Amino acid sequence: MSLKDLEIQPSYETLEGADPVNGFYVPALAESVEYDRSVGFFSSASLALAARGVAGLIHNRGKMRLVVSPHLSERDVAIIRQAESNPESVIESIMSEVLMDVDALADEIEHDHVRALGWMLANGYLELRIACVIDENGDILQDQLFHQKVGILRDAEGYALSFSGSINETASGWLFNSEEFKVFKSWDEGQRGFFESDERKFSELWNNQRERVMTFEPKGSLSSLLVAEGKDFDIECSSLAKTRAARNMKRISLFPYQREAFKTWRCHEGQLLFEMATGTGKTRTALACVQDLLIAKPKLVCVIATPQSTLSRQWEREVSALGLKFDTSIFADSSAGTSASWASSIRAALGRIAIGIDESLIVYTTHASAANELFIKAIEGADPSLAVCLVGDEVHGMGSREQRKALLERYTYRIGLSATPSRWFDEEGSALLRSYFGGQSFEFTIKDAQETVNPLAGETFLCPYQYHLETVELSDDEAEKFDRLTKQIAKLSHQDDDAARERLDQLLRKRALIKKNAVAKLDGLDALLDHIEHEDLLVFTSPQRIDEVESILGRHGVAAHRFTQQQGTRPKREFGGLSERDYLIKMFKEGVLQALVAIKCLDEGIDIPQAKSAILLSSSTNPREYVQRVGRVIRRSPGKNLAHIYDFVVVPDWSRLELYGDIESERRLFNQELVRIEDMRKNAVNSTDVLIKMRGLLGRAYGD
């Protein structure tokens, strides 16, 4: 490759969709052995970015000639004029003070890159000149910048090009400002004259041959400071070689089934659904895949999308615990901050990667925020050279009509995690998810995890559990309301207009609430608490009954707290810097709280392996809901050898239905409940006992 082989545009304008960094600057430098550059003004940021920008030039052992112009105040000029015999030394001293303020750089450029310049200067790879604007008498002018901005690149084959225009050698200049510059090629007959003009201007400037400009070589405090900065610089160990170091990163250890999942993901070109039971290490397996990309890809952006920000914090802790290092970490959660703020942070981080300042970015977000228009624009605006990976946790949620907007084609690498990725009564959404994540999946079920021994612990990966089927009946008043709604539903089910369908949905929801809120469940909970342990309880109820459930727990002396949407996700001082949700989980794990009372917030992904028992007072026939709830209590934890699930199920009064109700309709509804019971029963250690009870219920339903 040479400069002539690159696809270089005649001009670039940063705000018109062009990418001057990766479309021109980086690839051109990678082919160059000489780089001449005059910049509009001096700052430590301009020098640091120059060093980062020529990383490829350093590896080519190429040379750079750099002309910078200081911004001198009235006070600076007065001091310089007093030093008539040696004004250059005063200018260097002033510039040294600017250079030393590395920690305050607006561009937040790493200190290594200033040290790299010092290393280049000390080792003959960089020559530096300082240019000051002077008047007709040769006196230096205050607040006058030398504005010529020219760059000249030459490759080993003798081809050269120049670029000139408004752009400064700063990160904001290359990434964010509205800048324009033109490119002229030495080998193009029509452009050669423009190239030669730029070449002549730089030569005159370098050799102090321009009118109204004084150019000199720094040999005092500035060069000494730069050389001192670069004295201990090691190009092989610096941040310029982070990608090489990443290849020696210690791999995340995996169990055999996790390694199989990892290999399957690799074999399917980095796109796969992980259908793995809760508690079997989906997170660790996914992060092993992310680590693989960190090692293999020179530039990586990883987006981790979860249903709620509490889960995002869990992912952050796991990333840290496993030693994965990203240059930048951003939380993008619409519920915890303004979208414009985090969208700007993402764009800035992507820009730093594009220009070579950083190499990696991880964004923790929610499904809703990942589908946000500002988030989408930021990710789709990422430079094409960046590898971009999406990790969708509890990915079934991303199949909804609104949240599927987050499933961008820009994500080359895709990891979907869910114990139950199929969406209930949504074949379209389920098919879309499977297709988006490569059309393949790796499965490791609850049964697999209960039969596979963890070689490190000598026990199965998931804890065995007992399933306790607690049956209750509706009160007479509830039964009458239920029957009345069933008859209305039957009439509407034969109508096909939109109004009828909307009314039908309302009636179905209203009827389902009668069973979810059955008063007999409260009596059953009261009785149950008389003979079970009060430690490590998760209680799932409905919004309508949560106050009464908390009251019953309180009467039994159970220290409990609700865990709902009302418990915030923003860190607060009153919770020791945690969000209220994270604080409640912490109190539960430490045993301060004996029970958490939830509606839905604990259904997905919350890591509380200490939980030993789940009481299901309000459940639907949606497999995802009840499988997730089982998963909350069958994770392994020290001292937990057996988990318990208490499932309150409303069974019909078949005798009453034979006289007053629609028995066939009730049988169909009850069969859906039986499917749910069977799913939870089949992996329980007492499955036979529950099967006998189920047969008794069937006998009553069908008169056998």
Side-chain angles (χ1 to χ4, degrees):
M1 286 281 287
S2 69
L3 290 172
K4 189 177 181 181
D5 298 318
L6 300 177
E7 294 183 9
I8 296 174
Q9 304 300 316
S11 66
Y12 292 86
E13 187 173 357
T14 58
L15 295 188
E16 290 297 321
D19 179 10
V21 174
N22 288 284
F24 169 73
Y25 192 52
V26 172
L29 279 165
E31 299 304 323
S32 298
V33 294
E34 293 182 12
Y35 180 27
D36 293 340
R37 182 70 163 120
S38 64
V39 297
F41 62 90
F42 168 84
S43 72
S44 50
S46 75
L47 285 185
L49 190 72
R52 170 49 100 176
V54 298
L57 194 72
I58 294 175
H59 286 288
N60 292 345
R61 295 299 191 255
K63 293 187 177 182
M64 179 179 184
R65 295 192 297 177
L66 178 64
V67 180
V68 295
S69 178
H71 186 284
L72 301 173
S73 68
E74 182 179 358
R75 177 178 175 274
D76 294 334
V77 173
I79 295 172
I80 292 167
R81 285 173 178 167
Q82 291 174 12
E84 294 182 5
S85 62
N86 192 5
E88 292 89 346
S89 65
V90 179
I91 296 172
E92 285 196 63
S93 177
I94 292 168
M95 295 176 73
S96 298
E97 292 178 5
V98 177
L99 181 60
M100 291 179 70
D101 192 19
V102 175
D103 293 334
L105 296 183
D107 293 310
E108 297 180 354
I109 298 169
E110 295 179 20
H111 195 76
D112 259 1
H113 307 140
V114 178
R115 296 174 65 231
L117 266 177
W119 177 86
M120 291 174 67
L121 191 63
N123 288 276
Y125 294 108
L126 170 68
E127 292 183 71
L128 188 63
R129 296 288 187 273
I130 297 171
C132 296
V133 180
I134 57 176
D135 62 18
E136 62 274 11
N137 298 318
D139 292 328
I140 295 171
L141 298 174
Q142 71 177 72
D143 295 324
Q144 294 291 309
L145 292 178
F146 173 70
H147 283 290
Q148 187 188 76
K149 301 162 190 172
V150 173
I152 300 170
L153 295 160
R154 297 179 183 83
D155 65 22
E157 296 183 24
Y159 295 108
L161 56 79
S162 68
F163 60 94
S164 59
S166 66
I167 200 159
N168 275 310
E169 194 79 6
T170 65
S172 58
W174 282 101
L175 297 173
F176 307 120
N177 294 349
S178 178
E179 306 280 5
E180 180 182 13
F181 64 93
K182 293 178 172 55
V183 181
F184 305 111
K185 305 168 185 175
S186 67
W187 62 89
D188 187 305
E189 187 67 33
Q191 299 178 20
R192 185 177 299 143
F194 296 105
F195 166 80
E196 290 175 349
S197 175
D198 284 341
E199 188 178 40
R200 184 181 66 256
K201 289 176 184 176
F202 184 87
S203 177
E204 291 173 353
L205 177 65
W206 186 259
N207 294 303
N208 194 24
Q209 296 171 348
R210 299 296 302 273
E211 291 186 10
R212 307 294 295 274
V213 178
M214 178 185 75
T215 310
F216 67 91
E217 180 182 0
K219 294 182 178 179
S221 58
L222 178 63
S223 56
S224 297
L225 178 61
L226 276 171
V227 170
E229 284 289 332
K231 181 177 64 173
D232 298 321
F233 180 82
D234 183 349
I235 194 169
E236 297 302 319
C237 299
S238 73
S239 56
L240 299 174
K242 281 190 293 184
T243 302
R244 188 176 308 166
R247 294 192 180 103
N248 298 320
M249 187 186 305
K250 184 179 179 181
R251 292 278 187 172
I252 294 171
S253 61
L254 298 174
F255 291 114
Y257 70 90
Q258 294 170 326
R259 284 199 297 274
E260 186 180 349
F262 170 73
K263 290 177 182 178
T264 305
W265 172 79
R266 263 189 172 180
C267 289
H268 289 93
E269 299 181 343
Q271 297 185 4
L272 191 68
L273 272 176
F274 292 179
E275 294 187 52
M276 298 169 66
T278 300
T280 58
K282 294 190 294 293
T283 299
R284 189 182 187 90
T285 309
L287 289 179
C289 299
V290 172
Q291 183 189 51
D292 195 54
L293 295 175
L294 263 176
I295 293 170
K297 303 298 176 182
K299 299 178 180 180
L300 176 66
V301 178
C302 178
V303 174
I304 296 179
T306 70
Q308 51 177 296
S309 58
T310 303
L311 289 179
S312 296
R313 297 291 175 184
Q314 283 187 188
W315 275 88
E316 180 196 33
R317 290 191 291 270
E318 189 71 10
V319 166
S320 176
L322 292 174
L324 272 64
K325 303 294 185 183
F326 287 84
D327 291 324
T328 307
S329 172
I330 294 173
F331 276 85
D333 180 6
S334 299
S335 66
T338 62
S339 299
S341 174
W342 50 248
S344 175
S345 296
I346 292 173
R347 289 196 303 272
L350 291 172
R352 288 196 296 272
I353 297 175
I355 202 169
I357 296 170
D358 290 338
E359 294 176 347
S360 59
L361 163 68
I362 187 166
V363 182
Y364 302 96
T365 188
T366 62
H367 295 169
S369 297
N372 180 291
E373 183 179 356
L374 290 175
F375 191 99
I376 291 171
K377 285 183 177 179
I379 296 300
E380 289 187 333
D383 182 81
S385 69
L386 274 60
V388 187
C389 173
L390 171 67
V391 179
D393 192 19
E394 307 295 350
V395 75
H396 43 264
M398 301 184 80
S400 70
R401 290 196 175 276
E402 186 61 30
Q403 294 182 0
R404 68 180 62 165
K405 294 176 184 176
L407 304 177
L408 309 177
E409 287 303 311
R410 181 63 183 88
Y411 296 114
T412 309
Y413 301 96
R414 304 167 187 175
I415 303 167
L417 309 178
S418 180
T420 51
S422 296
R423 291 176 55 78
W424 197 45
F425 291 127
D426 183 9
E427 292 183 6
E428 177 190 353
S430 298
L432 183 148
L433 282 173
R434 292 190 179 277
S435 174
Y436 181 79
F437 287 93
Q440 300 291 329
S441 64
F442 173 84
E443 294 187 32
F444 193 73
T445 65
I446 289 177
K447 181 178 176 62
D448 293 331
Q450 288 182 326
E451 294 179 349
T452 305
V453 174
N454 179 340
L456 300 180
E459 56 189 9
T460 57
F461 282 99
L462 288 181
C463 184
Y465 68 90
Q466 283 192 344
Y467 177 59
H468 307 273
L469 182 58
E470 307 287 335
T471 59
V472 297
E473 293 184 356
L474 297 177
S475 67
D476 290 344
D477 183 52
E478 289 169 338
E480 288 176 10
K481 291 178 181 178
F482 193 92
D483 292 345
R484 188 163 57 249
L485 288 170
T486 297
K487 290 173 183 176
Q488 294 176 34
I489 289 167
K491 290 179 182 178
L492 282 172
S493 62
H494 300 295
Q495 300 180 32
D496 198 31
D497 59 279
D498 290 341
R501 283 195 295 272
E502 183 177 348
R503 176 61 179 157
L504 179 61
D505 287 341
Q506 292 174 349
L507 293 176
L508 287 169
R509 287 194 295 270
K510 193 173 181 180
R511 185 178 67 176
L513 281 175
I514 292 175
K515 286 189 174 181
K516 288 184 177 182
N517 295 324
V519 70
K521 292 182 178 180
L522 297 176
D523 296 332
L525 173 64
D526 201 6
L528 178 66
L529 290 172
D530 282 333
H531 62 268
I532 68 169
E533 292 184 8
H534 293 171
E535 302 293 331
D536 307 313
L537 287 173
L538 300 181
V539 184
F540 295 91
T541 186
S542 67
Q544 295 81 9
R545 293 298 193 194
I546 192 166
D547 290 338
E548 293 162 287
V549 168
E550 284 188 311
S551 178
I552 292 169
L553 289 166
R555 287 203 303 272
H556 283 267
V558 180
H561 199 290
R562 65 180 59 190
F563 193 95
T564 70
Q565 293 286 355
Q566 277 64 51
Q567 278 61 59
T569 59
R570 293 188 183 186
K572 291 187 176 181
R573 184 181 301 174
E574 61 190 286
F575 301 119
L578 301 175
S579 69
E580 185 175 7
R581 289 191 194 178
D582 286 334
Y583 178 76
L584 291 174
I585 292 171
K586 180 175 181 288
M587 291 298 98
F588 182 81
K589 289 180 176 180
E590 293 176 356
V592 177
L593 289 175
Q594 296 170 289
L596 292 176
V597 184
I599 297 172
K600 283 190 175 294
C601 286
L602 281 175
D603 283 0
E604 295 180 321
I606 301 295
D607 185 13
I608 40 175
Q610 291 81 358
K612 294 180 181 177
S613 300
I615 300 175
L616 312 183
L617 295 172
S618 175
S619 291
S620 72
T621 54
N622 183 346
R624 183 172 68 249
E625 179 183 283
Y626 58 75
V627 170
Q628 292 284 357
R629 290 178 175 183
V630 170
R632 297 284 71 76
V633 295
I634 61 174
R635 290 172 180 259
R636 283 288 183 183
S637 180
K640 184 169 73 173
N641 299 312
L642 182 66
H644 295 271
I645 298 165
Y646 302 92
D647 189 13
F648 283 83
V649 177
V650 173
V651 296
D653 182 346
W654 300 109
S655 299
R656 184 182 181 284
L657 284 168
E658 286 177 353
L659 295 174
Y660 305 109
D662 184 345
I663 195 167
E664 288 304 318
S665 174
E666 189 60 44
R667 280 173 177 163
R668 288 193 295 273
L669 290 173
F670 188 58
N671 283 339
Q672 293 176 14
E673 289 279 13
L674 290 174
V675 170
R676 180 173 72 86
I677 295 169
E678 171 61 17
D679 276 351
M680 289 195 284
R681 176 204 69 83
K682 64 186 180 183
N683 295 313
V685 294
N686 61 334
S687 60
T688 302
D689 294 339
V690 181
L691 181 60
I692 293 170
K693 192 169 185 177
M694 286 177 65
R695 286 177 177 171
L697 295 174
L698 282 168
R700 292 177 60 194
Y702 291 94
D704 296 338

